[in-house]
Structure formats: structure tokens, C-alpha cells
Amino acid sequence: MESVRKKRRKARVDETLCVACGCCVKVCPLGAIAVVNGLYARVDTARCVGCGKCAKECPASVIEVQEVEV
Amino acid sequence: MKKTNQKHWYDYLWIASLLYLILGFFNILFAWLGILCFFIPLIISIVRGNKAYCNRYCGRGQLFSLIGGRFGLSRKRDVPRWMKSKAFRYGFLIFFFAMFFQMLWVTGLVFAGAADLRQVVTLLWTFKLPWHWAYHGTLIAPWMAQFAFGFYSVMLTSTVLGLITMILFKPRSWCVYCPMGTMTQLICKARHAGEKNSDKSDFVTEK
Ligand code: SF4
Ligand code: SF4
Ligand code: SF4
């Protein structure tokens, strides 16, 4: 394993504007996003590969794929 | 690895939603079935404290993603900012329920004999569409037919609004301001108020 810090793309949900509809959950190929307690969606950053499918689907457009350091 | 996008029986509930609209065109009494779309999400959110109805079972949402997504009848643009604001979503919820209770009031008037049954479907709370062909008889009480006309009006109105925003914005943009979606989310907020969000949270995932 290399020890260099890598940038990875991960989805991020704006929880304050999420309507908890679950459209993102249906399209994520990795099961990396889930609706918590009917309140908002949350991303499991360990599993998310940043493909952006959820962001495209989200009817409220509250998901952004961002670069994060891992 | 487990396949996550497998189809389940509930992925076909859009057929039920479509059938509902069609059946109500031929016999208005089918409109009564629509109360399931009110009570099931409410009960799930109150008892289980989640939005499994939206997340899994709602046929209307599926219908929009099918027509707008699969069939491409959508511009797939972002909804305007105001549409996802709390003010608009809660405001629309209140307006929707005010109209709903007005519909119940009219049903009550017919029940009490203070008003006559009107065989019309009211679209967007304004336009009265003739719908007499869907009413077949005198076997049931007039108020039951009145409720059916009223309820079908609610369902048709929300479908039309949903189709309009489906075309203009993302396929399921109705879900942004859907009164049932907003209400069940509010119930979930109340149910989980004060809880620290632990990782033991009740996830609704597609498995
Ligand atoms: S970006 Fe892709 S992998 Fe990550 S949560 Fe969204 S759909 Fe799933
Ligand atoms: S699709 Fe968007 S609004 Fe719906 S649950 Fe996912 S993040 Fe929230
Ligand atoms: S928000 Fe409304 S239309 Fe969308 S899934 Fe929930 S109940 Fe169905």
C-alpha cells in the first residue's frame, strides 16, 4: 500500500433540504446510501465510489459529489 | 457481493397507481381505494418511524420515475430553490389539507341532505370536469358517491401537478412537495426528536 494521500469522489447529502424520498437509494449500485429514520439520506462514505447516480436521480437535487481526502 | 438493484414485488406497485386512475374513470366508487394511499404511509410512519412507504411502496413515485425517467418525458432539470424550501412544502401541506377538509365538508353536507350529489371531478381545485359516466346507480348512499368524486379529484389533481413538475424538472419532483411525503417526514421528525443519531439507526435500504 502506498502512503500517499488520495483524493476520492464521494456523495454528500444536504440533510436540511433532503425530503427522504429514497430515490437515491434505489439507484445506488453499491447500496452506499440509505434513508435514516425517515429523516434524510446518508452516505456510507466507505462504500460510496462517487459515481453520481444518486445526485442525478435526486428530485430535490440536494446531493453533491465532492472530492475528499482519504 | 449482493446484488442491490434486484426487482421486488413492490417495484410493480406503479401498476396499482395507474389502474386506480383508470378504474375511477369507469366507476367512481373505485376512488375509495385511494384512502389506502393515505392511511398506509401514515401508519408506517407512526408505528415504525420511517418512510418505508415513500422509499419502497409508493406506486405514484414509481410511475413518475418510469414515465419521466425510463420514457424520458422529463427535462431532468433541478427544481427551483423555493420549491424545496420548508415554507413552500409546509405551506402546500396546509393548503392541501384545507382543501381536503373542504371536500369532507361537502361530503358531510350531502350526507345531511343539505346538498345534492354533484357528479363532477374538480381538477386543480378549480375546474369542474363532467364525470357522470362513472356513476352508475342508486345502490349506495349519495354521500359515498360524493366522497368518491371528491377523493378522485384529490388524486387526479395531485397526479396532474406531479406530471407537470415531472416534465419541467426531475421525474419525481412531485416527491419534493408531496403532502404525504412531507407529512410522513414530519411524523418521523417528531418520532425521533431528541434522539442522538446513532449508527444503529433504522436504515431503509434496497436489499
Ligand atoms: S455517488 Fe454512486 S456510489 Fe456514491 S452514494 Fe451515490 S450512487 Fe451510491
Ligand atoms: S433522493 Fe435526494 S431528497 Fe430523496 S432521499 Fe435521496 S438525497 Fe434525499
Ligand atoms: S413523496 Fe409522495 S409521491 Fe413521493 S414517494 Fe412519498 S408518498 Fe409517494
Side-chain angles (χ1 to χ4, degrees):
Chain A
M1 282 294 282
E2 45 186 1
S3 58
V4 212
R5 290 215 152 179
K6 272 195 184 154
K7 294 238 186 211
R8 290 264 160 80
R9 292 171 69 77
K10 303 280 177 193
R12 226 186 72 98
V13 178
D14 181 346
E15 293 178 355
T16 59
L17 286 174
C18 172
V19 300
C21 60
C23 301
C24 50
V25 180
K26 289 200 189 236
V27 295
C28 177
L30 290 148
I33 191 163
V35 174
V36 190
N37 288 335
L39 301 171
Y40 40 71
R42 186 179 282 166
V43 180
D44 177 351
T45 43
R47 274 195 271 175
C48 174
V49 293
C51 67
K53 282 195 175 159
C54 54
K56 237 178 117 192
E57 194 74 9
C58 175
S61 306
V62 297
I63 307 179
E64 245 184 288
V65 180
Q66 300 173 330
E67 297 236 312
V68 287
E69 273 195 4
V70 284
Chain B
M1 192 204 270
K2 211 160 156 189
K3 245 185 106 194
T4 45
N5 283 339
Q6 263 166 350
K7 286 270 184 197
H8 303 86
W9 64 270
Y10 49 76
D11 290 317
Y12 298 94
L13 286 171
W14 60 269
I15 299 171
S17 290
L18 190 61
L19 216 55
Y20 176 83
L21 293 169
I22 296 169
L23 288 175
F25 188 82
F26 294 104
N27 190 331
I28 198 66
L29 293 180
F30 282 111
W32 273 83
L33 288 173
I35 55 175
L36 290 174
C37 306
F38 268 65
F39 285 113
I40 294 173
L42 278 185
I43 290 168
I44 292 178
S45 63
I46 292 168
V47 177
R48 305 291 308 275
N50 65 35
K51 285 213 348 164
Y53 183 80
C54 290
N55 302 164
R56 275 195 184 148
Y57 307 114
C58 178
R60 156 157 331 193
Q62 293 167 11
L63 196 59
F64 290 143
S65 58
L66 198 70
I67 305 172
R70 187 85 61 83
F71 299 154
L73 236 88
S74 169
R75 297 197 310 158
K76 301 200 171 90
R77 301 278 171 85
D78 294 348
V79 294
R81 190 162 279 280
W82 57 264
M83 197 179 264
K84 51 187 165 185
S85 69
K86 296 248 181 331
F88 178 71
R89 291 178 63 218
Y90 296 166
F92 188 70
L93 175 68
I94 292 165
F95 170 75
F96 197 85
F97 269 86
M99 292 296 123
F100 192 78
F101 283 114
Q102 193 250 346
M103 182 274 281
L104 289 181
W105 174 250
V106 173
T107 305
L109 287 180
V110 173
F111 177 75
D116 288 329
L117 167 65
R118 297 197 61 190
Q119 296 170 33
V120 291
V121 163
T122 313
L123 188 63
L124 299 166
W125 307 283
T126 318
F127 308 107
K128 306 250 186 273
L129 312 178
W131 214 266
H132 49 82
W133 56 78
Y135 179 62
H136 302 286
T138 45
L139 261 181
I140 48 124
W143 71 269
M144 293 181 92
Q146 184 63 64
F147 179 80
F149 279 111
F151 209 96
Y152 193 78
S153 304
V154 171
M155 297 298 271
L156 193 67
T157 297
S158 48
T159 305
V160 166
L161 278 179
L163 286 173
I164 294 171
T165 49
M166 173 196 81
I167 292 167
L168 291 177
F169 311 113
K170 297 262 183 106
R172 271 178 69 162
S173 40
W174 163 254
C175 293
V176 174
Y177 61 102
C178 167
M180 290 316 292
T182 307
M183 186 160 56
T184 48
Q185 191 184 27
L186 280 174
I187 292 168
C188 291
K189 273 192 184 157
R191 280 279 264 102
H192 299 286
E195 270 172 35
K196 260 268 138 279
N197 261 308
S198 65
D199 289 331
K200 297 193 296 284
S201 306
D202 179 14
F203 278 98
V204 174
T205 44
E206 288 287 306
K207 283 283 150 56

mmCIF file of all heavy atoms in Angstrom, chain B residues 53-84:
data_model
loop_
_atom_site.group_PDB
_atom_site.id
_atom_site.type_symbol
_atom_site.label_atom_id
_atom_site.label_comp_id
_atom_site.label_asym_id
_atom_site.label_seq_id
_atom_site.Cartn_x
_atom_site.Cartn_y
_atom_site.Cartn_z
ATOM 1 N N TYR B 53 -42.836 3.768 3.156
ATOM 2 C CA TYR B 53 -43.840 3.904 2.110
ATOM 3 C C TYR B 53 -43.251 4.638 0.902
ATOM 4 O O TYR B 53 -43.311 4.135 -0.223
ATOM 5 C CB TYR B 53 -45.077 4.641 2.635
ATOM 6 C CG TYR B 53 -46.157 4.731 1.586
ATOM 7 C CD1 TYR B 53 -46.990 3.640 1.332
ATOM 8 C CD2 TYR B 53 -46.330 5.881 0.815
ATOM 9 C CE1 TYR B 53 -47.949 3.696 0.345
ATOM 10 C CE2 TYR B 53 -47.291 5.945 -0.168
ATOM 11 C CZ TYR B 53 -48.104 4.857 -0.395
ATOM 12 O OH TYR B 53 -49.049 4.928 -1.384
ATOM 13 N N CYS B 54 -42.665 5.798 1.151
ATOM 14 C CA CYS B 54 -42.020 6.543 0.058
ATOM 15 C C CYS B 54 -40.855 5.740 -0.521
ATOM 16 O O CYS B 54 -40.687 5.648 -1.733
ATOM 17 C CB CYS B 54 -41.459 7.871 0.565
ATOM 18 S SG CYS B 54 -42.711 9.072 1.003
ATOM 19 N N ASN B 55 -40.048 5.211 0.370
ATOM 20 C CA ASN B 55 -38.798 4.586 -0.041
ATOM 21 C C ASN B 55 -39.010 3.295 -0.821
ATOM 22 O O ASN B 55 -38.146 2.891 -1.589
ATOM 23 C CB ASN B 55 -37.912 4.306 1.179
ATOM 24 C CG ASN B 55 -37.599 5.562 1.984
ATOM 25 O OD1 ASN B 55 -37.161 5.488 3.103
ATOM 26 N ND2 ASN B 55 -37.864 6.752 1.412
ATOM 27 N N ARG B 56 -40.150 2.631 -0.582
ATOM 28 C CA ARG B 56 -40.343 1.338 -1.222
ATOM 29 C C ARG B 56 -41.648 1.195 -1.987
ATOM 30 O O ARG B 56 -41.664 0.745 -3.113
ATOM 31 C CB ARG B 56 -40.375 0.248 -0.149
ATOM 32 C CG ARG B 56 -39.039 -0.208 0.220
ATOM 33 C CD ARG B 56 -39.121 -1.503 0.996
ATOM 34 N NE ARG B 56 -37.777 -1.839 1.415
ATOM 35 C CZ ARG B 56 -37.482 -2.468 2.529
ATOM 36 N NH1 ARG B 56 -38.447 -2.849 3.332
ATOM 37 N NH2 ARG B 56 -36.240 -2.731 2.818
ATOM 38 N N TYR B 57 -42.751 1.528 -1.318
ATOM 39 C CA TYR B 57 -44.037 1.056 -1.815
ATOM 40 C C TYR B 57 -44.821 2.033 -2.671
ATOM 41 O O TYR B 57 -45.761 1.627 -3.345
ATOM 42 C CB TYR B 57 -44.913 0.626 -0.627
ATOM 43 C CG TYR B 57 -44.227 -0.354 0.278
ATOM 44 C CD1 TYR B 57 -43.897 -0.018 1.583
ATOM 45 C CD2 TYR B 57 -43.891 -1.625 -0.187
ATOM 46 C CE1 TYR B 57 -43.249 -0.925 2.404
ATOM 47 C CE2 TYR B 57 -43.237 -2.527 0.630
ATOM 48 C CZ TYR B 57 -42.921 -2.181 1.929
ATOM 49 O OH TYR B 57 -42.281 -3.067 2.737
ATOM 50 N N CYS B 58 -44.486 3.310 -2.640
ATOM 51 C CA CYS B 58 -45.353 4.280 -3.306
ATOM 52 C C CYS B 58 -45.364 4.089 -4.823
ATOM 53 O O CYS B 58 -44.368 4.299 -5.510
ATOM 54 C CB CYS B 58 -44.932 5.706 -2.970
ATOM 55 S SG CYS B 58 -45.954 6.912 -3.818
ATOM 56 N N GLY B 59 -46.526 3.702 -5.330
ATOM 57 C CA GLY B 59 -46.650 3.459 -6.766
ATOM 58 C C GLY B 59 -46.634 4.731 -7.577
ATOM 59 O O GLY B 59 -46.188 4.758 -8.722
ATOM 60 N N ARG B 60 -47.094 5.807 -6.972
ATOM 61 C CA ARG B 60 -47.130 7.073 -7.695
ATOM 62 C C ARG B 60 -45.720 7.551 -8.011
ATOM 63 O O ARG B 60 -45.424 7.952 -9.139
ATOM 64 C CB ARG B 60 -47.848 8.103 -6.841
ATOM 65 C CG ARG B 60 -47.437 9.484 -7.210
ATOM 66 C CD ARG B 60 -48.415 10.473 -6.834
ATOM 67 N NE ARG B 60 -49.760 9.945 -6.831
ATOM 68 C CZ ARG B 60 -50.807 10.735 -6.766
ATOM 69 N NH1 ARG B 60 -50.624 12.022 -6.734
ATOM 70 N NH2 ARG B 60 -52.014 10.253 -6.739
ATOM 71 N N GLY B 61 -44.845 7.487 -7.013
ATOM 72 C CA GLY B 61 -43.451 7.866 -7.237
ATOM 73 C C GLY B 61 -42.828 7.014 -8.332
ATOM 74 O O GLY B 61 -42.118 7.513 -9.210
ATOM 75 N N GLN B 62 -43.123 5.720 -8.288
ATOM 76 C CA GLN B 62 -42.581 4.800 -9.303
ATOM 77 C C GLN B 62 -43.096 5.162 -10.697
ATOM 78 O O GLN B 62 -42.355 5.105 -11.675
ATOM 79 C CB GLN B 62 -42.981 3.356 -8.979
ATOM 80 C CG GLN B 62 -42.343 2.814 -7.720
ATOM 81 C CD GLN B 62 -42.998 1.516 -7.263
ATOM 82 O OE1 GLN B 62 -43.785 0.918 -7.987
ATOM 83 N NE2 GLN B 62 -42.683 1.096 -6.055
ATOM 84 N N LEU B 63 -44.369 5.533 -10.734
ATOM 85 C CA LEU B 63 -44.974 5.883 -12.023
ATOM 86 C C LEU B 63 -44.265 7.097 -12.627
ATOM 87 O O LEU B 63 -43.938 7.111 -13.819
ATOM 88 C CB LEU B 63 -46.463 6.188 -11.803
ATOM 89 C CG LEU B 63 -47.365 6.199 -13.024
ATOM 90 C CD1 LEU B 63 -47.330 4.852 -13.731
ATOM 91 C CD2 LEU B 63 -48.804 6.520 -12.620
ATOM 92 N N PHE B 64 -43.977 8.091 -11.795
ATOM 93 C CA PHE B 64 -43.276 9.278 -12.289
ATOM 94 C C PHE B 64 -41.860 8.931 -12.733
ATOM 95 O O PHE B 64 -41.390 9.450 -13.746
ATOM 96 C CB PHE B 64 -43.228 10.374 -11.218
ATOM 97 C CG PHE B 64 -44.570 11.004 -10.953
ATOM 98 C CD1 PHE B 64 -44.940 11.383 -9.670
ATOM 99 C CD2 PHE B 64 -45.467 11.220 -11.984
ATOM 100 C CE1 PHE B 64 -46.173 11.962 -9.422
ATOM 101 C CE2 PHE B 64 -46.703 11.800 -11.745
ATOM 102 C CZ PHE B 64 -47.055 12.172 -10.452
ATOM 103 N N SER B 65 -41.180 8.072 -11.988
ATOM 104 C CA SER B 65 -39.804 7.780 -12.413
ATOM 105 C C SER B 65 -39.805 6.934 -13.674
ATOM 106 O O SER B 65 -38.875 7.002 -14.481
ATOM 107 C CB SER B 65 -38.969 7.143 -11.296
ATOM 108 O OG SER B 65 -39.540 5.972 -10.834
ATOM 109 N N LEU B 66 -40.880 6.177 -13.874
ATOM 110 C CA LEU B 66 -40.997 5.388 -15.097
ATOM 111 C C LEU B 66 -41.259 6.283 -16.309
ATOM 112 O O LEU B 66 -40.534 6.223 -17.313
ATOM 113 C CB LEU B 66 -42.147 4.383 -14.936
ATOM 114 C CG LEU B 66 -42.166 3.206 -15.893
ATOM 115 C CD1 LEU B 66 -41.024 2.253 -15.569
ATOM 116 C CD2 LEU B 66 -43.496 2.476 -15.823
ATOM 117 N N ILE B 67 -42.279 7.134 -16.188
ATOM 118 C CA ILE B 67 -42.647 7.988 -17.326
ATOM 119 C C ILE B 67 -41.569 9.040 -17.585
ATOM 120 O O ILE B 67 -41.176 9.285 -18.721
ATOM 121 C CB ILE B 67 -44.008 8.688 -17.084
ATOM 122 C CG1 ILE B 67 -45.097 7.662 -16.758
ATOM 123 C CG2 ILE B 67 -44.420 9.502 -18.301
ATOM 124 C CD1 ILE B 67 -46.411 8.275 -16.322
ATOM 125 N N GLY B 68 -41.091 9.659 -16.503
ATOM 126 C CA GLY B 68 -40.107 10.724 -16.652
ATOM 127 C C GLY B 68 -38.704 10.186 -16.903
ATOM 128 O O GLY B 68 -37.934 10.752 -17.676
ATOM 129 N N GLY B 69 -38.378 9.096 -16.231
ATOM 130 C CA GLY B 69 -37.036 8.539 -16.351
ATOM 131 C C GLY B 69 -36.896 7.609 -17.535
ATOM 132 O O GLY B 69 -36.238 7.913 -18.516
ATOM 133 N N ARG B 70 -37.552 6.466 -17.450
ATOM 134 C CA ARG B 70 -37.429 5.444 -18.488
ATOM 135 C C ARG B 70 -37.928 5.926 -19.839
ATOM 136 O O ARG B 70 -37.287 5.761 -20.862
ATOM 137 C CB ARG B 70 -38.203 4.188 -18.042
ATOM 138 C CG ARG B 70 -38.045 2.994 -18.933
ATOM 139 C CD ARG B 70 -36.799 2.181 -18.598
ATOM 140 N NE ARG B 70 -36.845 1.673 -17.237
ATOM 141 C CZ ARG B 70 -37.488 0.555 -16.876
ATOM 142 N NH1 ARG B 70 -38.136 -0.150 -17.764
ATOM 143 N NH2 ARG B 70 -37.460 0.137 -15.636
ATOM 144 N N PHE B 71 -39.124 6.551 -19.829
ATOM 145 C CA PHE B 71 -39.682 7.021 -21.102
ATOM 146 C C PHE B 71 -39.191 8.419 -21.471
ATOM 147 O O PHE B 71 -39.548 8.952 -22.526
ATOM 148 C CB PHE B 71 -41.213 6.989 -21.064
ATOM 149 C CG PHE B 71 -41.780 5.606 -20.856
ATOM 150 C CD1 PHE B 71 -43.030 5.433 -20.276
ATOM 151 C CD2 PHE B 71 -41.067 4.473 -21.244
ATOM 152 C CE1 PHE B 71 -43.549 4.153 -20.076
ATOM 153 C CE2 PHE B 71 -41.578 3.199 -21.042
ATOM 154 C CZ PHE B 71 -42.823 3.037 -20.459
ATOM 155 N N GLY B 72 -38.431 9.028 -20.582
ATOM 156 C CA GLY B 72 -37.763 10.284 -20.918
ATOM 157 C C GLY B 72 -38.646 11.512 -21.032
ATOM 158 O O GLY B 72 -38.250 12.511 -21.621
ATOM 159 N N LEU B 73 -39.857 11.447 -20.474
ATOM 160 C CA LEU B 73 -40.747 12.598 -20.572
ATOM 161 C C LEU B 73 -40.441 13.620 -19.473
ATOM 162 O O LEU B 73 -41.324 14.019 -18.717
ATOM 163 C CB LEU B 73 -42.205 12.143 -20.467
ATOM 164 C CG LEU B 73 -43.071 12.564 -21.653
ATOM 165 C CD1 LEU B 73 -42.992 11.523 -22.748
ATOM 166 C CD2 LEU B 73 -44.509 12.772 -21.212
ATOM 167 N N SER B 74 -39.200 14.037 -19.396
ATOM 168 C CA SER B 74 -38.810 14.975 -18.357
ATOM 169 C C SER B 74 -37.582 15.742 -18.816
ATOM 170 O O SER B 74 -36.700 15.180 -19.446
ATOM 171 C CB SER B 74 -38.492 14.209 -17.066
ATOM 172 O OG SER B 74 -37.872 15.055 -16.131
ATOM 173 N N ARG B 75 -37.560 17.045 -18.477
ATOM 174 C CA ARG B 75 -36.388 17.819 -18.839
ATOM 175 C C ARG B 75 -35.206 17.505 -17.924
ATOM 176 O O ARG B 75 -34.085 17.922 -18.195
ATOM 177 C CB ARG B 75 -36.705 19.319 -18.736
ATOM 178 C CG ARG B 75 -37.788 19.785 -19.701
ATOM 179 C CD ARG B 75 -37.747 21.308 -19.827
ATOM 180 N NE ARG B 75 -37.747 21.939 -18.500
ATOM 181 C CZ ARG B 75 -37.304 23.164 -18.274
ATOM 182 N NH1 ARG B 75 -36.829 23.902 -19.247
ATOM 183 N NH2 ARG B 75 -37.358 23.671 -17.057
ATOM 184 N N LYS B 76 -35.516 16.854 -16.800
ATOM 185 C CA LYS B 76 -34.492 16.478 -15.811
ATOM 186 C C LYS B 76 -33.689 17.676 -15.322
ATOM 187 O O LYS B 76 -32.478 17.607 -15.140
ATOM 188 C CB LYS B 76 -33.561 15.398 -16.367
ATOM 189 C CG LYS B 76 -34.315 14.127 -16.772
ATOM 190 C CD LYS B 76 -33.409 12.917 -16.863
ATOM 191 C CE LYS B 76 -34.185 11.631 -17.044
ATOM 192 N NZ LYS B 76 -34.462 11.229 -18.405
ATOM 193 N N ARG B 77 -34.387 18.784 -15.104
ATOM 194 C CA ARG B 77 -33.730 19.968 -14.548
ATOM 195 C C ARG B 77 -33.918 19.999 -13.040
ATOM 196 O O ARG B 77 -34.822 19.361 -12.514
ATOM 197 C CB ARG B 77 -34.357 21.242 -15.137
ATOM 198 C CG ARG B 77 -34.277 21.330 -16.625
ATOM 199 C CD ARG B 77 -32.928 21.835 -17.085
ATOM 200 N NE ARG B 77 -32.793 21.719 -18.529
ATOM 201 C CZ ARG B 77 -33.229 22.640 -19.386
ATOM 202 N NH1 ARG B 77 -33.837 23.704 -18.948
ATOM 203 N NH2 ARG B 77 -33.065 22.470 -20.685
ATOM 204 N N ASP B 78 -33.116 20.805 -12.375
ATOM 205 C CA ASP B 78 -33.261 20.982 -10.928
ATOM 206 C C ASP B 78 -34.550 21.739 -10.627
ATOM 207 O O ASP B 78 -34.927 22.646 -11.380
ATOM 208 C CB ASP B 78 -32.087 21.783 -10.369
ATOM 209 C CG ASP B 78 -30.779 21.009 -10.490
ATOM 210 O OD1 ASP B 78 -30.840 19.791 -10.786
ATOM 211 O OD2 ASP B 78 -29.713 21.616 -10.306
ATOM 212 N N VAL B 79 -35.196 21.388 -9.536
ATOM 213 C CA VAL B 79 -36.374 22.161 -9.129
ATOM 214 C C VAL B 79 -35.879 23.525 -8.631
ATOM 215 O O VAL B 79 -34.760 23.639 -8.148
ATOM 216 C CB VAL B 79 -37.184 21.459 -8.004
ATOM 217 C CG1 VAL B 79 -37.800 20.181 -8.502
ATOM 218 C CG2 VAL B 79 -36.341 21.239 -6.770
ATOM 219 N N PRO B 80 -36.729 24.554 -8.781
ATOM 220 C CA PRO B 80 -36.302 25.855 -8.255
ATOM 221 C C PRO B 80 -36.116 25.785 -6.733
ATOM 222 O O PRO B 80 -36.726 24.955 -6.062
ATOM 223 C CB PRO B 80 -37.453 26.794 -8.621
ATOM 224 C CG PRO B 80 -38.595 25.920 -9.020
ATOM 225 C CD PRO B 80 -38.030 24.609 -9.443
ATOM 226 N N ARG B 81 -35.265 26.666 -6.258
ATOM 227 C CA ARG B 81 -34.912 26.658 -4.844
ATOM 228 C C ARG B 81 -36.136 26.756 -3.930
ATOM 229 O O ARG B 81 -36.235 26.050 -2.932
ATOM 230 C CB ARG B 81 -33.954 27.837 -4.599
ATOM 231 C CG ARG B 81 -33.291 27.880 -3.262
ATOM 232 C CD ARG B 81 -32.080 28.789 -3.322
ATOM 233 N NE ARG B 81 -30.934 28.097 -3.887
ATOM 234 C CZ ARG B 81 -30.168 27.261 -3.176
ATOM 235 N NH1 ARG B 81 -30.432 27.038 -1.906
ATOM 236 N NH2 ARG B 81 -29.143 26.651 -3.743
ATOM 237 N N TRP B 82 -37.079 27.633 -4.300
ATOM 238 C CA TRP B 82 -38.227 27.839 -3.411
ATOM 239 C C TRP B 82 -39.064 26.570 -3.247
ATOM 240 O O TRP B 82 -39.703 26.348 -2.246
ATOM 241 C CB TRP B 82 -39.103 29.002 -3.891
ATOM 242 C CG TRP B 82 -39.615 28.856 -5.310
ATOM 243 C CD1 TRP B 82 -39.054 29.399 -6.432
ATOM 244 C CD2 TRP B 82 -40.766 28.130 -5.765
ATOM 245 N NE1 TRP B 82 -39.787 29.043 -7.545
ATOM 246 C CE2 TRP B 82 -40.842 28.271 -7.171
ATOM 247 C CE3 TRP B 82 -41.757 27.374 -5.122
ATOM 248 C CZ2 TRP B 82 -41.840 27.685 -7.946
ATOM 249 C CZ3 TRP B 82 -42.765 26.785 -5.889
ATOM 250 C CH2 TRP B 82 -42.796 26.943 -7.279
ATOM 251 N N MET B 83 -39.023 25.713 -4.274
ATOM 252 C CA MET B 83 -39.881 24.531 -4.228
ATOM 253 C C MET B 83 -39.454 23.543 -3.147
ATOM 254 O O MET B 83 -40.247 22.799 -2.609
ATOM 255 C CB MET B 83 -39.891 23.863 -5.601
ATOM 256 C CG MET B 83 -41.050 22.902 -5.774
ATOM 257 S SD MET B 83 -41.061 22.159 -7.405
ATOM 258 C CE MET B 83 -42.202 23.198 -8.265
ATOM 259 N N LYS B 84 -38.156 23.548 -2.843
ATOM 260 C CA LYS B 84 -37.718 22.625 -1.790
ATOM 261 C C LYS B 84 -37.591 23.301 -0.436
ATOM 262 O O LYS B 84 -37.174 22.675 0.528
ATOM 263 C CB LYS B 84 -36.410 21.942 -2.184
ATOM 264 C CG LYS B 84 -35.303 22.846 -2.642
ATOM 265 C CD LYS B 84 -34.133 22.007 -3.152
ATOM 266 C CE LYS B 84 -33.167 22.854 -3.951
ATOM 267 N NZ LYS B 84 -32.092 22.090 -4.559
#
